[in-house]
Amino acid sequence: MSQKEVKTVSFRRGPKRGSFERPVQPAGVILKRLWNYLKPQFPLLLLAGLLSIIGNLIALVGPRISGRAIDAITDSGGVDYQNVFRFAGMMIVCYLVSGIMSYILSVLMIRISRKVVYSMRKDAFEKLLTLPVSFFDGHQPGDVISMISYDIETVNTSLTHDIVLMASSLITVVGSFIMMMIVSPLLVLIFVVTIPLAVLITRYRAKKVRPLYRNRSVKIGKMNGFVEENTAGLKTIRAYGREQEFIKRFDEKNNEAVDAYYEADRFACANGPIVNLINNISLAMISAFGALLYIRGGVTLGNISSFMLYSRKFSGPINEFANIISELQSALAAAERVFRLIDEDPEKADAKDAIEPEKVKGEIEARDVRFSYDLGREILHGISFSANSGKLVAIVGETGCGKTTLINLLMRFYDRDSGMITLDENPIESLKRARLRQSYTMVLQDAWLFHGTIYENIVYSRPSASREDVENAAKAAMIHGYIESLPKGYDTLLSDNAVNLSKGQKQLLTIARALLLDSPMLILDEATSNVDTQTEQRIQAAMLNLMKGRTCFVIAHRLSTIKNADEILVMDNGSIVERGTHRELLDNHGVYYGMYSSQFEAV
Amino acid sequence: MKRVLHYLKPQSAKVALQVTIKFSATLLELFLPWILEHIIDVVAPQKDLGMLAMWGTLMLLCAVAAFLGAVYANRMAAKIAASFTRSLRHSLFEKVTALPSEKIDGFTVPSLISRISTDTYHVNDMVDRMMRLGIRAPILLVGGLLVCSLMEPVLTLILVATLPLLGGLLILISKRSIPLYTKAQQCAEELVRRIQENMTGVRIIKALSKEEVEKERFDDASRNVIETDQRAEITMAAANPLMNIFLNVGMAVVIVIGAFRVDSGLTEPGKIIAFLHYFTILLNGLLGITRIFTLCSKGIASGNRVGEVLDTPEKILSVSDQIPLKNAYISFENVSFSYNKIRENISNLNFTLDKGQTLGIIGATGSGKSTVFQLMLRFYQPDKGTIYLEGKPLNTYRKEDLHHKFGVVFQNDFLFGDTIKNNIDFERTIADEARVKAVSVAQAGFINELEEGDETILAERGMNLSGGQRQRLLIARALAADPEILLLDDCSSALDYRTDAQLRKALKAGFKHTTTLIIAQRVSSILFADKILVLDDGKTVGYGTHDELLKTCEHYREIYLSQMGEEAA
């Protein structure tokens, strides 16, 4: 039972299913934050810019050399072979150098952009780990996966490349603008009309396309969420023969994702041609007016011709800019989603003066603890109890009475609304959170195992444990024999489905994991619910050993497992309604007595 | 990859139209510089304003037509790519739902997830961009070659001679880069897995304060992705400069040979100048092709991954309307099965069950109880022996016919973030009365006490419910369609005894004709069953009624006594 108990009557509304669809951040803010990721790569970026400028220059030199080679052919005194060979050789060297340089440039760009991807992923994931448990109950893993993989990738497909490209072509733009001004300031006037036009249109379209890109990211995330959720539940879907219906449900998400993608694509794919058109119009105007000027005698034909050459050089990058601005929108929309994850409120930071006691005795006291997941819907109504060091406290009660919520508060997965919980007389909020949690060993019903070997899964709780410790823990948890019977023994890889492990066996593995820990307090939340009673009895010795000398909180439905508790708290609807030892409670003939006798009620 | 491109076929007419439009628009655009030169070289010197206006207008018209054509073609490309992706992804998901369980185990879930999402996007990108960018380059290449060969056939031969070399180079690079991209995608699966694990195991990770370890593990995966990605991209990045170098060396050779030819009077220098001009155009075409090629490598790697799933054979079962061979409703005959084919999980299992009867299955953790259900549902096929349903071999049933008979609750079964009602209905359009009855029998009355009743929306994986509430909801789901066969796998472990007992009573009263198989840890959950199967390490150690087993089966008696004995005694 894994996580949170819910009061039967007032059901906790799940945290609203988050889909990172919150208000829009201004582009400037996002760009600034993106720049923070690029900043550490600044020297590399500078180098890339430099390389790209030199590359451009060499590319300009190349045609000049080939021109001179041709001059050598057309030499008035016949073909000048010496020069032909010389210039042909120079050409080869020149292109070789430029080829190598452009390769280095590409490698550099790839490295920079991968570094940015890497650090964005790192930030996003590390943020994820600091988020409160409530976040995970409200977000689909698939959506988060989509964000960390797809969105971050989208941010970077264009970003780095574009910035270097923009920087290096800026020089070409400025250079050719100056040249054009020298040749014919009058013809430049045409650009005074067309360039602002291009800028305006691009800006307008950029503004319009961003929501489309944003929607695209959201819809892809939703589809991924659906896929992740449903592939995991595939067996149930098949058991009920509901494949077609779920395919239909998938189709809905798929359609939404494809449509959102298409909408953005449809809008964005006109950008290139639009800017092209403006360019072409300005070219047409230049040639027409140029010819007109020539006819009127304002310029020479040679001037128009070279003006044209420069204007092409000039408009190429402008064209490029327009495309970049459009691509940047998709990066911005994706980045926005990633930043939202990074902006999620983390668990409250430890107090500045939070203490980290060296030794924890394990005395827990709760005084009038009240709690609600949702304001106004109280789940726990004034819980008070105390557990002295080494005592066993059992918590029983009907399903949904608030047992697991109580555990959530003890571990500070959630913080109480009012009242006080103390550990060794310190309010738990005054302790470093990590220290508090480390002083517990926790075994939950949902056995959590990860992709790795059996050995790695057990040793997870205490990496310093020896092989022998691990095997002893597995022996105590009665799972050693099974592990040994596997062809690869402890090195068996637990794949995602861990087909060969039953739920009970998984629980035994997590118990073995817990056995390696030596913490002053222990929480068992239905830790053996899928283990058969015989095995449970056989691991009883290990469990007793596990509990010895520790303060234990045990939640179990099998009342036989908690009979030895020092105190049993019987909870109902978020309140403790009875407390005492097994004997006392039976003699009391109250709620506990009823629960206990129903175990043996004949059918 | 072929497998995947197959999905473009229904749109081949549209693709042809798109290519034609794009082709024409591109030609128009390539025409523009020519007009421009014409204006300056021919029209302007004539000083004829009328002609100037005409050519100017023509140029404008061409520009506008090229613009319209390009936009239209681009949008068409986007649309074609969208429908292509839609149907590809649909088939992929459909295929995943139909894959045999052992194949799913083989692919692993994170891998299937990334194939459905990222890989289909890469393919989509490839198709989309191919149609948008893939037209211009071949035109430039072919056009450039044509003009060159008209002008200077001999010199063109030199260029043509380098082409196979260039082609070979591209193939060589793709031979290296496609596997690298494939590997990058595999590494990305690891990333997906890490995120998934951390999101589901967040409580344990926080409880053990393992954040640092998890950061490192994620970091490893993340680095791996970056490195393989980088390797693939860096390999690909070599294509462009190499092409450039090769062709320009070719150009130098052209100049040298051209010099000899000019010297011997075979050609004029003017031709060589013009030749070099068109050569630049040709070069641009070739570079364009290289760029497309880069784009394709990633798409092909992803396409192959998608194709791999699509090509996985489904099990074909010989469906036949066989006459019943057995009398019993359900019977297992000498059934043996092993997941890994090394160690048997079920050995030589035999039991029979009449309609309406209940079978209880009990046994130690890992004794093969859940495997019985997996076989019953035909998720896996027995290695030996036969399972009969209604006297007919299970294999002869149509999948739909078979699965409509069942109501199932697995351990920690699947709930999704939707309303409670939809979670129970599970897309079966169940009548309200049936659902109400199921809820009441499943002891899931808590639903009605919620403010929004069965319209309440569940959190992810039903995490805002307690374990017991989840189980009762799942039982309600199993009962809602009034199943012929009910499979309950340890689904009352989180229920307290009283609720469990009430559930059993209600089941008996409300679902008399349903044949039920119950796996349980508690003897009290199954002692009423018509037959009880006691499993130990896959073998049957006891089979009979509660009373018989108490007398004959030591194992069962031990379990019973350990649970009830002390108190009963």
Side-chain angles (χ1 to χ4, degrees), chain B residues 276-430:
Chain B
L276 288 184
H277 174 71
Y278 285 102
F279 176 83
T280 331
I281 293 178
L282 192 146
L283 187 72
N284 276 333
L286 212 72
L287 292 181
I289 285 181
T290 317
R291 203 171 310 137
I292 293 164
F293 171 79
T294 316
L295 208 82
C296 284
S297 296
K298 205 168 188 172
I300 289 173
S302 282
N304 288 337
R305 278 163 53 83
V306 171
E308 218 172 84
V309 178
L310 289 172
D311 279 338
T312 308
E314 279 168 51
K315 238 174 301 176
I316 296 161
L317 301 168
S318 54
V319 177
S320 64
D321 290 316
Q322 239 180 341
I323 30 156
L325 302 170
K326 307 278 163 188
N327 291 326
Y329 184 68
I330 296 174
S331 59
F332 272 56
E333 273 197 11
N334 305 317
V335 173
S336 296
F337 172 74
S338 163
Y339 288 106
N340 54 17
K341 308 298 171 211
I342 295 171
R343 190 189 142 97
E344 276 194 348
N345 299 76
I346 288 283
S347 313
N348 205 23
L349 177 65
N350 284 290
F351 70 82
T352 61
L353 210 56
D354 289 331
K355 195 156 176 59
Q357 280 193 320
T358 299
L359 176 76
I361 307 178
I362 197 162
T365 300
S367 61
K369 302 183 297 278
S370 302
T371 308
V372 175
F373 283 9
Q374 303 277 328
L375 295 175
M376 188 74 234
L377 286 162
R378 218 172 59 188
F379 286 159
Y380 296 90
Q381 305 274 331
D383 299 328
K384 280 180 238 150
T386 317
I387 302 167
Y388 295 94
L389 177 60
E390 295 170 317
K392 294 178 268 189
L394 200 63
N395 277 348
T396 61
Y397 276 84
R398 246 174 240 103
K399 195 171 71 189
E400 310 79 58
D401 297 344
L402 184 67
H403 286 155
H404 281 149
K405 293 179 185 293
F406 287 102
V408 187
V409 181
F410 294 116
Q411 288 173 325
N412 300 343
D413 208 343
F414 151 72
L415 289 169
F416 46 93
D418 200 334
T419 62
I420 289 185
K421 188 173 164 185
N422 286 345
N423 267 287
I424 295 177
D425 187 75
F426 211 63
E427 297 289 330
R428 294 172 295 178
T429 42
I430 280 160

Side-chain angles (χ1 to χ4, degrees), chain A residues 63 66 70 309 312, chain B residues 30 33-34 37 140 144 147-148 151 159 251 254-255 269-284:
Chain A
S66 62
I70 287 175
L309 276 179
R312 261 195 238 174
Chain B
L30 291 175
W34 185 83
E37 270 164 41
L140 293 180
V147 177
C148 281
M151 216 156 34
L159 285 182
M251 197 153 108
V254 163
I255 289 179
K271 275 198 175 170
I272 295 191
I273 296 173
F275 188 88
L276 288 184
H277 174 71
Y278 285 102
F279 176 83
T280 331
I281 293 178
L282 192 146
L283 187 72
N284 276 333

